[in-house]
Amino acid sequence: MRIETNSTEVAIAHVPQTSYVKPLNPTGLSAKSVLSIQRTTAQRGLVIALSFAACLVSSSTLAQTANILNPKSDSPDVPRKRKAQKKIELSQTKTDPFAKFENLRPKGMWLGIPGPADTIDQDAGGVRSALANVGIGYVGWTQNSFANNLLPNAARSTIANQLYNGQNPTFNTVNYMWTTYDLSRYGIPDGQIVVAAEQQYWTWKPGGPDRIGIDTISYYQTFFDRKLEFKIGYLPNQNEFAGTLVGGNAGANVFGPSANILFQGGMSNNPAPTPAVNLKFNVNDRLYDRVSFQRSISPDGQFVQLTQNPTGLNWSTPNAGLLVLNELGYKEKAAVGVPDTWLRAGAGFNNSNYNNLQYPNGPRADENSFYYVAADRQLWQTAAQSSAARGIYGGFTVMYAPPDLNKVTEYYELRLYAKGLFDSRPSDQIAVVATDTVWSHFAVDAAAAKGSLVHLDSKAISATYTAHLAPGVYLNLGLSYIDHPTSITYTPQTGHALNFSASTAVFF
């Protein structure tokens, strides 16, 4: 398990857990039979959802392809409309040479990945244009991070015995390559296929571990004039739900530790994508309801998930079941006099077989859940006429998970950040984030009973500055003070940390 505080991560050694399920049930079946039936039901439910989704896609695709192949289906106005649209696209291309790539950027995520204009290669040699002409787009990037505790007497150890990120000087690199294919050229509304890979390496293995495998394999399209968005495949739902990245920009590379509750609850992420069907219902331009039927990651944690399935291609891992996610949200982009606003609330329900912290000697339980509420609001626009998104923002996050099945049971975050605060640095970001991570009282009591020094929570405050140095090049510098950076148990030497962090993100 790990806790990430902006660019600084506080990782926690995994503590083996066991769980308890009531030995009797109304049906008279054994616990083993009940769990088997539940797993089978969950798997059949996911297969039915996948089959239904595939029928939707194939029906829509066949109908729209038939229209393309049958010229008589076009009304007399269609050729004129197409010519008018081509004129508009040509006009946009003349004013913005990168506009023609817009439809090739990954769709359906809250995560903001820089477009071709903000890459180091842009359209050098016309390679990107040549690929775009046949419907292919791409984006790749590398993130390299370093963390080190500046406090003296930090109980330095060997890397193998390290308890948290930064206790010893710690380095990690994460590298991505995404390729998209435009299906709208065949008449499929907003249609897109994405195939992406991810590779990561850590000097401190519990922070990772090392892996190379898929990040995403997905099919996306819209229905009913974009009222319904549909995505299916191996998905990292970290990029689809909750919004754990301060400022929403991958270049800023500022992640809050709130993601820890989501991952222990089974949500998939970039190193651990899983099969899923995602549906987003757009009530209007601002209100939405997003639902996912996702194969859970391992209930034993991220480290176990990556160890058992490093490539990400396996359908499932031991004890993993079905996770159902739902998020209601209100999102409005900044405009002149209109502040950027994003409100969201969500829940996840997971029938995976979890170890039970309340009854450590009993069998596994299968009724885990988590809940979250988050909000971000632009408080002041610094350059409304030229760039409405620039300004000062405030936000908060509150998360909860039941303490009997989850080591992290509560999480609170307050954030204040600025985008383009200075005219001379219009795309830099500054962030100050305060967090409080609360541990399960069952886990705390169990550790105290063994005579260990324990604490109920871990508080942190972080300040980071992200400089946009050149197209596609970002540098993030941060300083974080963490009260109790380890998990639950600690020693006097590991009671506090002052982590300096530095990271780069380079996009191509």
Side-chain angles (χ1 to χ4, degrees):
M1 185 184 303
R2 63 178 179 183
I3 294 182
E4 303 175 333
T5 304
N6 297 327
S7 297
T8 305
E9 301 178 337
V10 179
I12 306 163
H14 175 68
V15 178
Q17 304 165 0
T18 55
S19 59
Y20 172 77
V21 173
K22 294 179 181 179
L24 297 178
N25 59 78
T27 64
L29 296 174
S30 67
K32 182 177 181 180
S33 299
V34 173
L35 291 175
S36 176
I37 292 171
Q38 289 174 331
R39 285 196 293 270
T40 303
T41 302
Q43 291 168 349
R44 288 177 179 171
L46 188 55
V47 169
I48 291 171
L50 290 170
S51 301
F52 174 70
C55 290
L56 282 177
V57 173
S58 59
S59 299
S60 174
T61 303
L62 288 172
Q64 294 170 78
T65 303
N67 288 336
I68 294 170
L69 297 175
N70 182 10
K72 294 180 181 180
S73 65
D74 286 345
S75 66
D77 291 335
V78 169
R80 289 196 294 270
K81 290 180 179 179
R82 287 177 177 168
K83 289 180 180 179
Q85 181 63 30
K86 286 182 179 179
K87 287 182 180 179
I88 294 172
E89 291 175 354
L90 288 172
S91 175
Q92 291 175 338
T93 301
K94 289 179 180 178
T95 57
D96 180 4
F98 296 99
K100 60 185 176 183
F101 303 121
E102 191 63 28
N103 202 42
L104 297 171
R105 298 177 66 181
K107 299 177 181 180
M109 306 185 302
W110 64 261
L111 178 66
I113 300 176
D118 191 13
T119 59
I120 58 173
D121 59 328
Q122 297 188 337
D123 193 20
V127 174
R128 199 182 295 269
S129 289
L131 291 172
N133 289 337
V134 294
I136 298 175
Y138 70 89
V139 60
W141 71 99
T142 176
Q143 294 179 327
N144 301 278
S145 303
F146 171 82
N148 184 35
N149 185 1
L150 301 180
L151 294 180
N153 304 318
R156 302 288 188 191
S157 67
T158 63
I159 291 290
N161 296 321
Q162 187 174 331
L163 298 176
Y164 62 89
N165 188 30
Q167 182 179 7
N168 295 327
T170 308
F171 170 80
N172 74 282
T173 179
V174 185
N175 303 286
Y176 302 90
M177 186 65 203
W178 289 41
T179 303
T180 67
Y181 185 69
D182 177 25
L183 294 174
S184 65
R185 60 202 285 119
Y186 302 113
I188 301 173
D190 302 299
Q192 185 180 77
I193 292 175
V194 175
V195 177
E198 189 250 23
Q199 179 269 334
Q200 65 181 30
Y201 168 81
W202 291 71
T203 57
W204 178 53
K205 302 312 176 186
D210 302 344
R211 61 94 63 170
I212 181 169
I214 64 168
D215 178 282
T216 303
I217 301 177
S218 68
Y219 172 95
Y220 171 90
Q221 79 166 89
T222 61
F223 297 89
F224 313 118
D225 195 23
R226 298 183 177 176
K227 290 293 184 182
L228 172 63
E229 298 179 51
F230 168 83
K231 186 180 286 190
I232 186 172
Y234 282 80
L235 307 178
N237 269 333
Q238 168 190 7
N239 302 334
E240 309 271 337
F241 288 82
T244 57
L245 181 66
V246 176
N249 180 9
N253 193 27
V254 183
F255 285 88
S258 57
N260 204 53
I261 278 185
L262 305 179
F263 299 157
Q264 73 178 6
M267 182 182 288
S268 58
N269 49 66
N270 288 306
T274 62
V277 176
N278 288 3
L279 300 170
K280 183 185 178 187
F281 304 92
N282 297 304
V283 180
N284 53 40
D285 292 340
R286 296 174 295 279
L287 288 171
Y288 68 86
D289 183 7
R290 190 189 295 268
V291 180
S292 178
F293 301 91
Q294 179 218 301
R295 172 62 69 185
S296 172
I297 69 170
S298 173
D300 295 321
Q302 176 90 352
F303 187 89
V304 173
Q305 170 72 24
L306 298 186
T307 301
Q308 294 175 340
N309 186 13
T311 65
L313 289 170
N314 294 348
W315 170 261
S316 183
T317 51
N319 298 308
L322 175 66
L323 171 65
V324 179
L325 295 164
N326 185 219
E327 178 178 290
L328 298 173
Y330 175 96
K331 194 169 188 178
E332 187 169 30
K333 292 184 178 180
V336 178
V338 179
D340 189 291
T341 304
W342 188 15
L343 314 175
R344 61 269 192 205
F349 302 94
N350 195 332
N351 70 354
S352 298
N353 297 325
Y354 277 80
N355 287 319
N356 195 311
L357 302 177
Q358 185 176 7
Y359 302 104
N361 296 320
R364 289 175 177 254
D366 60 356
E367 298 178 351
N368 201 9
S369 60
F370 59 83
Y371 310 86
Y372 63 88
V373 176
D376 287 88
R377 172 82 169 182
Q378 189 176 23
L379 306 176
W380 179 43
Q381 293 182 327
T382 57
Q385 298 298 325
S386 60
S387 181
R390 288 178 56 192
I392 297 177
Y393 293 72
F396 72 88
T397 298
V398 176
M399 292 191 174
Y400 172 80
D404 57 336
L405 301 180
N406 300 277
K407 199 172 184 180
V408 179
T409 185
E410 298 173 36
Y411 174 78
Y412 305 92
E413 176 178 302
L414 287 175
R415 50 189 173 270
L416 184 67
Y417 54 103
K419 299 180 180 180
L421 188 60
F422 310 112
D423 291 337
S424 59
R425 308 292 306 172
S427 51
D428 287 5
Q429 179 173 297
I430 305 171
V432 177
V433 182
T435 65
D436 186 14
T437 300
V438 180
W439 309 107
S440 162
H441 64 87
F442 293 115
V444 171
D445 291 345
K450 296 178 180 178
S452 300
L453 289 175
V454 298
H455 52 93
L456 299 176
D457 64 347
S458 176
K459 296 181 177 66
I461 184 166
S462 305
T464 60
Y465 187 93
T466 302
H468 191 188
L469 302 180
V473 181
Y474 293 80
L475 171 65
N476 180 287
L477 299 175
L479 195 64
S480 301
Y481 174 77
I482 309 158
D483 179 39
H484 296 118
T486 62
S487 168
I488 300 179
T489 63
Y490 69 100
T491 66
Q493 292 78 22
T494 60
H496 308 275
L498 180 63
N499 275 5
F500 166 77
S501 63
S503 64
T504 60
V506 179
F507 294 83
F508 57 88

